[in-house]
Amino acid sequence: MFVSDLRHFLDIPDEAPGPARKMAQHLGFVVRAATAGNAGAPWVSALNCRRRPANKPCAGHIAVFRSDLPAPIEWRCTACGDEGVISGWEDSLYDLRQPRSSSEEEPRHETLLTDAVAATLRELMYLDVECERLVFQMHSSAKGTSLTASAEELDELLGFIAANANHETNRRRQKRLDAAFNVLTDALQEVESADAFTTMVATADQMREIRQGGGDLTGRWRILEMDLWDQEALDLVAPAFIEFSADHSGELGFIVVTGWIDWRSAGSGRPGVEFSWEGTDEGDQVSGRGWAALQTDGVLHGHLYFHLGDDSGFRAQRTLR
């Protein structure tokens, strides 16, 4: 077992022997992989084993495990059994642990890569932390090297590949960068197509639900805004609302207006409902009509008319009471 302290490898001089520099690079890669993933569970990274048993490259990949601090990182080759532990890695330039608070991500998709493309990505220069974490989260499995990323992450990674290619003078490495760029460009197109299809299907499903039975508008809706009055006025007596009951009756209330509704599905393939209403406004008898339609974001849009009087658009959100 190779027991190491990463701090001893952080400032390897250029004149250091080649094996020492390669070991420093290997340990740095292991720390990046272990800290790019989650703590508490071992997983097989896309890192190739550095050993050459019988003068042939080992076919194994490096499995890593990281528990909570202050425990060291553990690593082991899946084929030859080469293994080690690394301490002193925390808060180094190779530490890719995510902040504790992270924002919600967009849909992510798996892309299979060759070991050559994966190695090219690991050698990219000037990656930001997010892209570096993405690269070192690559997994090895029976299917190949797996890169899981969203469309936005792939697009950003492609930008770094292009920047590296533009400054590369070595022709062989230029070809490797071009190959990686082409593979990820194809992957980005597939991811964008998949996201667009998912969005289209979800929208179609939502619209289908909306068009069936008026989009199931039954229930109570909190009026969020109306064109003619501000929220303070709307909630003067009680929170403004509109309600549709399953028996095609309903109620509404805002400012000092209270009313009773008779509603029907809009018909003719149109989403939503149409209704008539009557009630009181500060004791005066009032009546009118209106319509309401559920939008794909779950918000109810509609318009309310007073007979021979004002009319106003409104927006409402479903509520329990």
Side-chain angles (χ1 to χ4, degrees), residues 14 65 68 142 174 197:
D14 294 338
F65 174 77
D68 292 333
Q174 177 77 59
F197 179 75

Side-chain angles (χ1 to χ4, degrees), residues 217 225 291-295 297 299-303 313-316:
L217 304 189
E225 63 179 0
W291 60 266
L294 186 60
Q295 307 302 301
D297 60 1
V299 176
L300 187 70
H301 287 205
H303 209 99
F314 68 87
R315 291 174 60 252

